[in-house]
Amino acid sequence: MVNLTKIYTRTGDEGMTGLSNFSRTRKTDPRIEAYADVDEANSAIGVAVALAQNEFDAETLALLSQIQNDLFDLGADLSNPLNEHYEYEPLRVDAIWIDALEDAIDHYNKELGKLDSFILPGGSGLAAGLHLARTVVRRAERATWHAIEAHGTEPGKKGHSNGGVSVLAAKYLNRLSDLLFVLARYANVKHGGDVKWVPAANRRTRPIGKTKP
């Protein structure tokens, strides 16, 4: 049970912070950067959800709400180093979460036309918000792989806090960014469709700096 009685604690004023197993680490630890990016991604999705209230059906809104909850669980996973033994079973990303994202991707992608060009992150306000969330999720994925490279994927021994990071967390973020891309396209269906990239659309008719004769 979470019970927040005081918002500021001053315990991080020297650049240290606590992990979920009560160990302390630097705020620049890649593990911290990973779940901080996950928090930012969750906030970006929250903005998209606010924009989606009059755009998406109840099923899709429920999906986004579930994803926001999943991201809190995923942050808890990243903040708790893998260990061989736990006093209490920790929250961990499960492979079935990734399967569920893939099912959702296939479901919404069936509603879309063939993608024959790269697209610009725009269109409706909702689509733009989902594209923004997609890019933040992709950054969170990169940060998670950085944490995996720094800490490995092996569990720590009993009594130690230097365990690794779950690969499933990175895989979940990868599939989530794909789903947000598909949902951004889905959001644009009733707003004229995708905003397509036109290569060199702003190409100048003469080299920069060359004056007219």
Side-chain angles (χ1 to χ4, degrees):
M1 179 65 67
V2 177
N3 185 16
L4 299 177
T5 57
K6 193 171 184 179
I7 300 303
Y8 64 90
T9 63
R10 299 175 180 165
T11 58
D13 289 351
E14 295 182 354
M16 302 291 290
T17 191
L19 295 172
S20 292
N21 63 356
F22 304 109
S23 64
R24 303 286 290 175
T25 190
R26 300 295 304 176
K27 289 188 176 183
T28 52
D29 185 325
R31 196 192 309 268
I32 307 302
E33 294 181 355
Y35 70 72
D37 282 351
V38 169
D39 186 30
E40 185 179 346
N42 206 343
S43 297
I45 293 173
V47 173
V49 169
L51 293 170
Q53 294 304 310
N54 297 318
E55 295 280 335
F56 279 165
D57 55 69
E59 180 183 3
T60 309
L61 289 172
L63 172 64
L64 288 171
S65 178
Q66 180 60 58
I67 286 168
Q68 284 198 279
N69 201 80
D70 286 351
L71 287 178
F72 242 96
D73 292 344
L74 190 148
D77 187 330
L78 292 174
S79 73
N80 199 345
L82 297 176
N83 211 306
E84 289 183 347
H85 304 280
Y86 304 97
E87 184 176 357
Y88 302 102
E89 191 65 26
L91 280 169
R92 294 294 182 201
V93 174
D94 193 281
I96 61 174
W97 301 12
I98 299 166
D99 295 338
L101 290 179
E102 292 178 351
D103 288 343
I105 291 168
D106 292 340
H107 170 73
Y108 287 98
N109 200 46
K110 286 190 300 185
E111 304 296 321
L112 304 175
K114 181 180 178 182
L115 188 61
D116 57 3
S117 172
F118 289 106
I119 61 176
L120 301 181
S124 69
L126 172 56
L130 288 165
H131 276 299
L132 178 61
R134 167 184 63 81
T135 61
V136 180
V137 168
R138 190 67 81 176
R139 170 154 49 85
E141 182 202 350
R142 293 194 300 271
T144 301
W145 283 113
H146 186 195
I148 289 169
E149 289 178 359
H151 294 286
T153 59
E154 296 299 318
K157 301 297 182 181
K158 186 176 182 180
H160 293 272
S161 61
N162 59 345
V165 178
S166 170
V167 171
L168 289 178
K171 291 182 178 180
Y172 179 95
L173 292 169
N174 177 272
R175 301 307 191 280
L176 176 56
S177 66
D178 290 340
L179 174 59
L180 292 171
F181 174 79
V182 169
L183 287 177
R185 294 191 66 211
Y186 182 70
N188 268 338
V189 167
K190 60 182 180 181
H191 292 280
D194 299 319
V195 182
K196 295 185 178 182
W197 171 52
V198 180
N202 296 317
R203 179 181 291 134
R204 296 173 184 270
T205 57
R206 62 181 183 280
I208 295 175
K210 184 176 180 180
T211 59
K212 293 182 180 179

